[in-house]
Amino acid sequence: MISNTKNGRIAEYIAGASLEEQGFSTAFCQQDGIDIFAFKDDHFYRVQVKGSLLRKTKGYLHHQFQLGIGGTKRKPDINDYDLCALVSLYERRCFYLPIEKLNTQTIRKTLKVFENKNIEEETLKETLEIIHNRKYRKKLKWKV
């Protein structure tokens, strides 16, 4: 059996690969609350990765993602990160959500959600639209 720490690292690599496939440059970081910095088109994004194995409750298969932060397991907010990558370790796919859509400390997603081969592109596009519509969002000015 693989430890939770290893499952978490596997989820981070899956999310990093997903972002790279969609044209992002990524950097893994050992920061509390942020797992990946992703860069694209003069923007950077703070990404929190949450991985989950399959569970069976009341006869249906699902993934359960724990989103709470800190010892008190408070709900994350805009100061914590920009988006969350929910990773199915079974399907090896990501479901992206902006911080604005994280209203609870736990999220469940059925296996069927991750069987959609376009889930990464679809959810990342929606997530980036929400992030870019934030009033206080700024572009980076790169100096080389």
Side-chain angles (χ1 to χ4, degrees), residues 38-88:
F39 305 87
K40 184 177 181 181
D41 299 331
D42 296 331
H43 293 284
F44 79 98
Y45 308 89
R46 301 165 298 156
V47 183
Q48 172 63 271
V49 178
K50 296 294 184 177
S52 177
L53 295 167
L54 279 176
R55 295 175 179 242
K56 190 171 188 176
T57 305
K58 296 182 182 176
Y60 76 98
L61 292 171
H62 67 280
H63 295 80
Q64 181 171 315
F65 301 95
Q66 301 296 330
L67 303 172
I69 294 177
T72 60
K73 297 298 179 202
R74 69 173 171 80
K75 188 179 78 163
D77 65 32
I78 197 75
N79 297 309
D80 296 311
Y81 48 88
D82 297 308
L83 66 127
C84 186
L86 306 178
V87 179
S88 166

Side-chain angles (χ1 to χ4, degrees), residues 103-120:
N103 300 323
T104 61
Q105 294 175 356
T106 304
I107 290 181
R108 287 193 177 115
K109 296 286 180 193
T110 63
L111 177 59
K112 194 169 197 80
V113 168
F114 288 99
E115 289 173 345
N116 175 359
K117 293 186 184 338
N118 298 317
I119 196 70
E120 293 176 338

Side-chain angles (χ1 to χ4, degrees), residues 3-14:
S3 71
N4 287 339
T5 301
K6 270 202 177 178
N7 279 335
R9 281 202 345 239
I10 292 167
E12 289 173 16
Y13 290 129
I14 292 168

Side-chain angles (χ1 to χ4, degrees), residues 24-43:
F24 287 81
S25 295
T26 59
F28 293 90
C29 60
Q30 302 299 314
Q31 184 74 25
D32 284 343
I34 300 171
D35 296 313
I36 298 173
F37 284 115
F39 305 87
K40 184 177 181 181
D41 299 331
D42 296 331
H43 293 284

